[in-house]
Amino acid sequence: YRVRDHGDIVYLGPTGLSGWELTPAPAAWREDFGHLATSQEAAAFGNFGLPARAAIEFEISWKKKPDFVFAIGVGPDPKSAKKAFRFEVWADDLVINRDLDQKVDLQGVQAIEAGPGRAHLQVFIEQETGLCIVFSGTGKKLAEIQIPPQKPEVLGGVRLENIRGDIRLERLRITRWTGALPREVEADQPRVHLNDGTIEYGKL
């Protein structure tokens, strides 16, 4: 990441259990090499001050088929997660959905298989317009949903809820979204992203 962009970083972690409100008890979660992990029915809320236009990159992994909810744009009240942008496991798919003002928008993001797996996603949201765009970790566009709220509000938190199985939050990066969207890249190739948006591949 460019050094000059670091001023736009709102949060970079996780750094273990620090900064999270953990329920039903802190003992339900554990710090594992700095990651936030659990194999119990539990929830973690972090109020990190999401801006109205935010870019969120996260990685969640699991050892066996997961069942979790990762909500973006929530407040301290757990009920606010019901109106947030929600990543949920539905049967064999991870979906992004929102249920707001009696309107529902839902799209599939990736398939979920039995056994170990992970989700590495980049999410761009505008809370005031109700827009959410999802990209893979390599920059491939996966989904776009939008439900304009009747009463726009900006909530600064995220909530991770494990329903069954195990999950590990390995990465959470929150920055201010300037409006630019990622380009798809060849993830296994060394590369440099130039100021004009082009990508140069090479060998180190």
Side-chain angles (χ1 to χ4, degrees):
Y1 300 98
R2 294 188 178 95
V3 173
R4 71 178 189 185
D5 291 340
H6 284 193
D8 291 328
I9 292 181
V10 176
Y11 175 81
L12 182 60
T15 53
L17 308 181
S18 177
W20 296 89
E21 296 179 16
L22 307 172
T23 55
W29 293 85
R30 67 182 185 275
E31 178 180 343
D32 197 353
F33 297 101
H35 302 158
L36 188 66
T38 186
S39 56
Q40 302 181 37
E41 183 178 348
F45 167 74
N47 192 1
F48 301 124
L50 268 74
R53 304 183 78 213
I56 302 100
E57 181 183 6
F58 69 89
E59 289 188 65
I60 296 177
S61 65
W62 51 86
K63 295 180 180 179
K64 52 185 178 181
K65 191 172 182 179
D67 190 359
F68 67 87
V69 177
F70 183 59
I72 300 173
V74 304
D77 185 351
K79 294 181 180 179
S80 66
K82 295 181 179 180
K83 298 182 178 180
F85 300 103
R86 296 162 58 93
F87 288 89
E88 300 183 58
V89 177
W90 287 25
D92 296 326
D93 293 288
L94 179 65
V95 304
I96 173 67
N97 77 95
R98 196 177 196 193
D99 187 344
L100 182 66
D101 300 330
Q102 298 182 340
K103 297 178 181 179
V104 178
D105 200 349
L106 178 148
Q107 289 187 26
V109 173
Q110 74 174 59
I112 299 291
E113 300 178 354
R118 71 174 46 246
H120 178 195
L121 301 172
Q122 303 177 73
V123 188
F124 300 84
I125 65 170
E126 287 183 342
Q127 292 194 54
E128 294 174 331
T129 65
L131 174 66
C132 177
I133 309 174
V134 183
F135 289 80
S136 69
T138 59
K140 179 181 179 180
K141 186 176 180 180
L142 301 175
E144 179 174 342
I145 64 173
Q146 184 168 20
I147 300 179
Q150 294 179 0
K151 296 181 179 180
E153 62 178 337
V154 178
L155 298 177
V158 300
R159 179 180 173 86
L160 177 60
E161 181 177 355
N162 189 46
I163 300 170
R164 63 177 61 87
D166 67 282
I167 54 171
R168 177 193 300 264
L169 179 62
E170 299 183 2
R171 178 178 176 82
L172 177 61
R173 184 176 191 264
I174 302 171
T175 61
R176 300 183 188 280
W177 179 26
T178 62
L181 294 172
R183 296 170 57 114
E184 188 169 1
V185 299
E186 297 176 27
D188 59 341
Q189 298 296 319
R191 61 194 180 277
V192 174
H193 297 245
L194 303 181
N195 282 326
D196 63 2
T198 59
I199 300 172
E200 292 290 343
Y201 294 91
K203 294 183 178 180
L204 296 176

